[in-house]
Amino acid sequence: MNTKQYIAVEDKYGAHNYHPLDVVIDKAKGIWVWDVDGRKYLDFLSAYSAVNHGHNHPRIIKALIAQARKLTLTSRAFRNDQWPMLAKELCQRTGYDMVLPMNSGAEAVETAVKTARKWGYQKKGIPQDQAEIIVCANNFHGRTVTVISFSTEPLYRKDFGPFTPGFKIIPFGDADALEKAITPNTAAFLVEPYQAEAGILIPASGYLKKVREICSKNNILFIADEIQTGLGRTGKLFAWEHEKAKPDMIVIGKSLGGGCYPISACLATADVMNVFRPGEHGSTFGGNPLACAIARESLRVIKEENLVANAAKMGKYFMAKLRTIKSRHIKEVRGRGLLIGVELYPEAGGARRYCEALAAAGLLCKETHDNVIRFAPPLIIGTKDLDWAFEKIKEVFVQLDK
Ligand SMILES: *Cc1c(COP(=O)(O)O)cnc(C)c1O
């Protein structure tokens, strides 16, 4: 079957909850993917940063196959030999005390919300069912009903109510607004250090540090959603490190699974994580040995291949190049590490047509909202391939500037 035929089948039998570019991929290696018609593309999205290690990383695939042959699932009714080691290695690597494993990012965010509420009642003495969690406008934390209950994007919410109460929304990047929103019933502040889905929004420097101070002063938990920014994407292992503003709890997912298996986790201090007793929360596949073996190898690859330092270096290199493009349609180039956004003026006719032209030129990326093109290649990329991508991007801007 060819591209057209696969798309026809997908559109007939698959729910229409996405609007993908019309590229049908059937093979990948490292930073490259191939479609069913044999065309080759550079992956400049990395599955929203889930493929930070590149596709089919040989070490990660090897770990996957070895573990798949030994043991894949026990449920947490029994113990297995991989989960304790992942928990220990994650803690040693990140400086947190304890880990709660889940599968998808949204589930880990839900876990963080449940943890914060329980902490609020048990440790802070908030009256039952009164706990509040403060979040930011334009956030993206996933798609479950509770998580979209505090989204400000109408598209994510319309016809999905009624919603979960207990959330207060303040502007992103505004520490004063946080201070003002806190009440005696506030349990936590949940925030993405950089808002990726909102269009790669980077708050003014000093924001996270101020957030850390305000949360400490008011005895509320600072929770960072590092699902997309974490594990090296922004040029630090975690985005909070840019300001040395260590949260009480972080949520990770996406590239923890090495680009091939879903796994997510909440990491916290012992004081916070110890609110859980057996039976109060869980997941059949959470902490399964296959996911854990893959995540362990993914963490080792990040370290041994210096992916964090490479993201920092390549990000700087590439952003400087992007800034040399002269186009009347570019409003701003911004980012950290290899999480880069090119914001276009509305007159440019939308980022989607740029992504379509880039795909035709062999570069796969995706618009976020209407006017931002996101560039987020795998963290293994080097200057030679970035130079190749840059030429394609420049050509597309020349072509669409006409
Ligand atoms: C992708 C993402 C999520 C949701 O993760 P899923 O695995 O898609 O549920 C949550 N928060 C952020 C910041 C993300 O980028």
Side-chain angles (χ1 to χ4, degrees), residues 134-154:
I134 301 171
V135 300
C136 287
N138 303 315
N139 69 71
F140 183 81
H141 297 290
R143 302 294 201 155
T144 60
V145 170
T146 288
V147 171
I148 61 166
S149 295
F150 52 86
S151 170
T152 56
E153 171 58 54

Side-chain angles (χ1 to χ4, degrees), residues 104-107 109 140-143 192 197 225 227-228 254:
S104 71
E107 278 180 328
V109 171
F140 183 81
H141 297 290
R143 302 294 201 155
E192 301 152 85
E197 295 310 303
D225 180 342
I227 292 170
Q228 188 161 164
K254 293 207 163 103

Side-chain angles (χ1 to χ4, degrees), residues 92-401:
Q92 287 178 338
R93 191 71 179 279
T94 60
Y96 286 93
D97 302 327
M98 297 177 88
V99 186
L100 200 157
M102 297 296 282
N103 310 287
S104 71
E107 278 180 328
V109 171
E110 290 261 354
T111 301
V113 166
K114 288 174 76 173
T115 310
R117 285 179 169 184
K118 209 174 237 312
W119 176 87
Y121 299 126
Q122 294 194 348
K123 302 271 167 117
K124 193 171 169 173
I126 296 172
Q128 266 309 305
D129 293 342
Q130 300 297 308
E132 295 165 355
I133 294 176
I134 301 171
V135 300
C136 287
N138 303 315
N139 69 71
F140 183 81
H141 297 290
R143 302 294 201 155
T144 60
V145 170
T146 288
V147 171
I148 61 166
S149 295
F150 52 86
S151 170
T152 56
E153 171 58 54
L155 182 69
Y156 300 167
R157 291 166 54 92
K158 191 174 177 304
D159 297 333
F160 294 129
F163 298 111
T164 309
F167 300 97
K168 205 181 243 182
I169 298 165
I170 61 169
F172 178 63
D174 184 343
D176 293 339
L178 172 61
E179 197 140 35
K180 285 200 194 96
I182 293 170
T183 73
N185 292 342
T186 304
F189 176 51
L190 166 65
V191 67
E192 301 152 85
Y194 305 141
Q195 287 189 329
E197 295 310 303
I200 321 295
L201 303 184
I202 314 279
S205 101
Y207 172 64
L208 296 173
K209 218 175 181 80
K210 263 191 230 151
V211 164
R212 176 64 277 177
E213 284 165 17
I214 292 167
C215 289
S216 298
K217 199 174 80 188
N218 293 279
N219 191 29
I220 68 174
L221 300 179
F222 171 21
I223 307 172
D225 180 342
E226 294 260 13
I227 292 170
Q228 188 161 164
T229 51
L231 299 175
R233 173 54 59 185
T234 71
K236 298 271 187 196
L237 188 61
F238 296 109
W240 65 258
E241 293 174 22
H242 289 283
E243 296 195 6
K244 300 192 172 58
K246 192 179 174 192
D248 301 292
M249 177 157 50
I250 62 169
V251 185
I252 60 175
K254 293 207 163 103
S255 69
L256 182 60
C260 57
Y261 198 90
I263 173 168
S264 64
C266 266
L267 283 69
T269 57
D271 174 59
V272 172
M273 205 58 100
N274 272 328
V275 299
F276 282 114
R277 291 287 162 266
E280 290 176 345
H281 186 55
S283 159
T284 304
F285 276 80
N288 77 74
L290 182 57
C292 292
I294 291 166
R296 292 177 69 193
E297 190 67 4
S298 301
L299 290 170
R300 283 192 285 262
V301 167
I302 291 170
K303 185 170 191 172
E304 287 161 27
E305 296 192 3
N306 290 314
L307 296 189
V308 182
N310 193 58
K313 202 165 137 202
M314 293 304 121
K316 256 194 202 120
Y317 175 81
F318 196 60
M319 212 145 34
K321 283 187 88 112
L322 287 174
R323 289 194 169 122
T324 66
I325 297 179
K326 301 266 176 291
S327 165
R328 63 196 163 90
H329 289 319
I330 296 179
K331 186 174 167 195
E332 190 184 23
V333 176
R334 57 177 177 256
R336 280 282 189 290
L338 282 171
L339 184 63
I340 300 171
V342 177
E343 181 168 358
L344 309 173
Y345 287 108
E347 297 73 37
R352 173 96 187 175
R353 68 187 196 108
Y354 284 79
C355 294
E356 284 167 358
L358 286 166
L363 194 76
L364 292 182
C365 52
K366 190 78 169 70
E367 74 276 10
T368 98
H369 288 277
D370 290 338
N371 295 315
V372 181
I373 313 171
R374 165 180 14 203
F375 293 134
L379 308 186
I380 57 171
I381 200 164
T383 51
K384 179 172 139 273
D385 295 313
L386 284 174
D387 290 347
W388 183 87
F390 176 72
E391 290 308 318
K392 300 288 168 191
I393 292 164
K394 214 164 85 178
E395 279 165 29
V396 163
F397 272 99
V398 170
Q399 184 192 323
L400 297 185
D401 259 3

